[in-house]
Amino acid sequence: MKRRKIQYNLVNNSLSAFISAIEIHNKPNIKYRYESTVMLVINSWELILKAFIRKYMRKSIFLPNGNTITFIDCLDYFKNMLMII
């Protein structure tokens, strides 16, 4: 049950980050508009990749210190997965 809740939260947070990126991009007078949009989109991708890794690759996204893996680590998991296929 806990596994499913974490995946659900990752997907919801990813969606929220992506929607926030779209909203910030569409506002005309915000400083660092493009930089903020890029950061939110990258964060959205990171969260959805972590949910995918947990669900389909059955690997832990948590480090021994309690933090989660980085975006680069997520991409490395996929790179290794593609080499196997």
Side-chain angles (χ1 to χ4, degrees):
M1 185 68 171
K2 186 176 182 181
R3 179 180 204 87
R4 205 173 251 177
K5 183 175 180 175
I6 291 172
Q7 289 166 202
Y8 178 79
N9 288 339
L10 286 169
V11 171
N12 280 341
N13 290 342
S14 173
L15 183 60
S16 294
F18 198 78
I19 290 170
S20 296
I22 293 169
E23 287 179 4
I24 287 176
H25 184 269
N26 287 334
K27 299 215 184 265
N29 294 325
I30 293 181
K31 290 184 180 185
Y32 302 108
R33 179 172 63 152
Y34 294 116
E35 292 86 350
S36 300
T37 300
V38 168
M39 291 299 293
L40 285 167
V41 169
I42 289 171
N43 180 249
S44 176
W45 272 102
E46 178 183 0
L47 293 171
I48 204 70
L49 289 174
K50 287 178 182 178
F52 183 88
I53 288 168
R54 255 182 95 78
K55 183 172 183 177
Y56 295 108
M57 298 176 81
R58 303 244 183 234
K59 293 189 177 190
S60 176
I61 60 169
F62 294 101
L63 299 173
N65 64 3
N67 294 337
T68 58
I69 59 176
T70 64
F71 184 62
I72 301 299
D73 293 336
C74 292
L75 295 176
D76 285 340
Y77 278 144
F78 281 98
K79 183 175 109 179
N80 293 335
M81 183 183 76
L82 292 174
M83 288 181 164
I84 294 171
I85 297 175

